[in-house]
DNA sequence: GTGTGGTTCAAAT
DNA sequence: TGAACCACAC
């Protein structure tokens, strides 16, 4: 899901770069995106050839590991431009994302059912498009990718939970110079340099830098982020709705932005909204907000230097971490 | 007019 | 995942 509408809002600071601009740098790579696209591409090709077995079976990695080629092609492309890839894979499910994941699983099941129904009616071309929609990246596929990475001596790490937080940590401690992903969440995790939309044909990529946030213009009905702190930016994103917390109905990025200009703290903001009574603030929203904030700040990640699990950012001593919170952000 | 939220589509060898 | 599009409410 990411933060809906965030990238268009930051349009004015998106910079098109060539991969050669990153020569000599180490870039974290969100493995999920490449694997998913690889699986998608090959599932599509197989189905085109008339292989109408269940798409989820097709992609288990038993019959083929072709999807790995797609990802490795991109790994080699980075290396060709003298960029050192640091591949980051997703780990276990984060309790905080439970809602999002059950939703996805449901959608995949729906698409599979539709596909099977259409196939049963002999409508194979229509069935194909639904089969393609239920492809999923399995741990087995991730393992096939890891084997290829090992063979070619590419650095990688499996995150204890989300790759997002893991990549943010690698950048934070200086192990990577930037992050290649398609997920706008990385900006909310406080990353300094995030690279989107890698085009392997032209070797170009779209860059968004934290230092440019202040230049986000209020022109054309947009918003201004001049003088905004990481904390305020994060608040705007969470209030607008994120993977860890749905928004208050009727509140999107722009409303969150103007609310945060009026109120100094989220407590005051929520109190004012409740007093006004125009937007339905759910019961327990503020508590849920605090938890979401902690997931962005303190999610559990693996430190390759210390070789142990740590928090993305250190938890302040006065912050109480009860068992529920611990479970939520990973332990 | 503005902003939100829902739907639909593309994704690539 | 995002982008594009559109209907709806304010
Ligand atoms: Mn994410």
């Amino acid at each position: 899901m990411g933060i809906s509408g965030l990238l268009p809002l930051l349009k004015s600071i998106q910079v098109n770069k060539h991969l050669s601009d990153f020569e000599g740098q180490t870039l974290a790579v969100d493995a999920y995106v490449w694997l998913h696209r690889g699986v998608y591409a090959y599932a599509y090709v197989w189905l085109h050839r008339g292989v109408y077995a269940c798409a989820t079976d097709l992609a288990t990695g038993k019959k083929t590991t072709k999807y790995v080629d797609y990802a490795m092609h991109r790994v080699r492309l980075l290396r060709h431009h003298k960029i050192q890839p640091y591949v980051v894979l997703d780990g276990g499910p984060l309790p905080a994302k439970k809602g999002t994941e059950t939703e996805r699983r449901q959608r995949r099941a729906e698409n599979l059912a539709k596909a099977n129904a259409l196939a049963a009616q002999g409508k194979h071309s229509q069935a194909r498009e639904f089969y393609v929609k239920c492809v999923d990246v399995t741990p087995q596929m991730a393992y096939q990718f890891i084997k290829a990475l090992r063979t070619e001596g590419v650095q990688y790490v499996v995150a204890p939970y989300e790759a997002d937080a893991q990549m943010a940590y690698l950048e934070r401690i200086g192990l990577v110079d930037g992050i290649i992903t398609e997920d706008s969440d990385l900006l909310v995790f406080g990353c300094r340099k995030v690279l989107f939309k890698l085009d392997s044909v032209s070797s170009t990529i779209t860059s968004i830098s934290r230092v440019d946030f202040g230049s986000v213009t209020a022109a054309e009905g947009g918003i201004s982020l001049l003088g905004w702190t990481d904390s305020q930016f994060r608040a705007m994103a969470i209030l607008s709705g994120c993977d860890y917390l749905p928004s208050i109905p009727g509140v999107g990025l722009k409303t969150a932005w103007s609310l945060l200009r009026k109120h100094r703290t989220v407590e005051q903001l929520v109190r004012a909204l409740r007093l006004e009574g125009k937007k339905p603030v759910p019961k327990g929203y503020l508590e849920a907000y605090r938890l979401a904030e902690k997931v962005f700040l303190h999610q559990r990640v693996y430190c390759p230097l210390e070789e142990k699990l740590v928090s993305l950012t250190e938890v302040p001593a006065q912050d109480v971490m009860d068992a529920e919170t611990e479970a939520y952000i990973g332990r």
Side-chain angles (χ1 to χ4, degrees):
Chain A
M1 189 166 100
I3 307 299
S4 183
L6 184 58
L7 295 185
L9 216 57
L10 301 177
K11 188 81 186 172
S12 62
I13 56 163
Q14 292 185 22
V15 184
N16 290 320
K17 299 238 183 188
H18 194 269
L19 284 181
S20 57
D21 295 336
F22 302 95
E23 180 174 330
Q25 296 190 16
T26 302
L27 297 179
V29 169
D30 191 342
Y32 179 82
V33 177
W34 290 359
L35 277 175
H36 190 268
R37 293 209 173 157
V39 172
Y40 179 92
Y42 284 101
Y44 192 85
V45 168
W46 297 327
L47 290 166
H48 245 296
R49 288 180 188 156
V51 186
Y52 289 109
C54 168
T56 46
D57 279 349
L58 264 177
T60 53
K62 286 172 197 158
K63 290 169 184 159
T64 179
T65 55
K66 267 283 186 188
Y67 52 83
V68 171
D69 297 349
Y70 177 97
M72 287 310 291
H73 175 70
R74 272 150 186 76
V75 166
R76 293 185 201 108
L77 179 68
L78 295 187
R79 287 183 141 182
H80 172 77
H81 290 284
K82 305 206 165 49
I83 296 164
Q84 195 182 337
Y86 197 137
V87 176
V88 180
L89 298 106
D90 282 292
L94 188 72
K97 261 184 114 169
K98 213 178 140 195
T100 309
E101 285 187 356
T102 38
E103 207 173 280
R104 270 188 203 153
R105 205 171 310 134
Q106 254 174 23
R107 195 156 301 157
R108 272 198 293 271
E110 279 170 19
N111 284 324
L112 183 58
K114 279 183 197 165
N116 285 331
L118 287 163
Q121 294 169 39
K123 298 175 179 171
H124 292 297
S125 65
Q126 286 176 57
R128 184 189 306 140
E129 59 183 282
F130 286 102
Y131 274 131
V132 157
K133 280 179 183 165
C134 53
V135 296
D136 188 22
V137 177
T138 65
Q140 289 86 349
M141 291 184 222
Y143 178 60
Q144 297 299 321
F145 185 33
I146 287 174
K147 283 203 291 189
L149 292 172
R150 280 197 188 134
T151 303
E152 300 200 17
V154 180
Q155 214 168 3
Y156 72 90
V157 63
V158 180
Y161 295 97
E162 287 188 289
D164 300 25
Q166 183 67 46
M167 294 190 290
Y169 183 75
L170 294 180
E171 193 196 37
R172 227 175 87 74
I173 64 171
L175 287 184
V176 305
D177 301 297
I179 290 150
I180 299 179
T181 184
E182 298 300 329
D183 186 349
S184 54
D185 279 340
L186 273 295
L187 296 165
V188 189
F189 275 102
C191 297
R192 294 181 288 270
K193 193 193 289 178
V194 188
L195 309 170
F196 299 93
K197 303 179 181 72
L198 170 65
D199 184 329
S200 66
V201 177
S202 59
S203 293
T204 53
I205 200 159
T206 301
S207 168
I208 296 183
S209 301
R210 176 67 183 88
V211 290
D212 293 334
F213 278 13
S215 320
V216 173
T217 160
E220 295 162 28
I223 62 171
S224 166
L225 294 178
L226 187 62
W228 277 52
T229 63
D230 281 349
S231 167
Q232 290 171 304
F233 180 78
R234 187 167 52 242
M236 177 179 76
I238 298 172
L239 286 169
S240 82
C242 64
D243 283 351
Y244 317 128
L245 182 68
S247 77
I248 297 160
V251 176
L253 278 170
K254 303 235 176 144
T255 305
W257 175 76
S258 58
L259 284 170
L260 283 164
R261 284 179 21 130
K262 283 194 209 112
H263 307 282
R264 197 160 296 130
T265 68
V266 174
E267 286 95 329
Q268 289 175 4
L269 185 157
V270 168
R271 202 180 308 140
L273 274 183
R274 287 211 162 106
L275 221 60
E276 209 180 37
K278 283 183 183 169
K279 310 249 187 231
V281 184
K283 190 165 175 287
Y285 180 82
L286 197 57
E287 293 71 24
Y289 174 91
R290 292 270 166 251
L291 270 155
E293 193 177 36
K294 286 193 172 78
V295 182
F296 276 116
L297 279 172
H298 310 307
Q299 183 174 154
R300 207 68 76 200
V301 296
Y302 177 72
C303 179
L305 301 178
E306 295 182 63
E307 300 185 340
K308 65 172 191 186
L309 297 188
V310 298
S311 290
L312 170 54
T313 65
E314 208 178 322
V315 181
Q318 71 270 23
D319 267 28
V320 276
M321 280 291 185
D322 52 39
E324 187 199 4
T325 310
E326 290 265 338
Y328 212 65
I329 66 170
R331 62 176 93 227

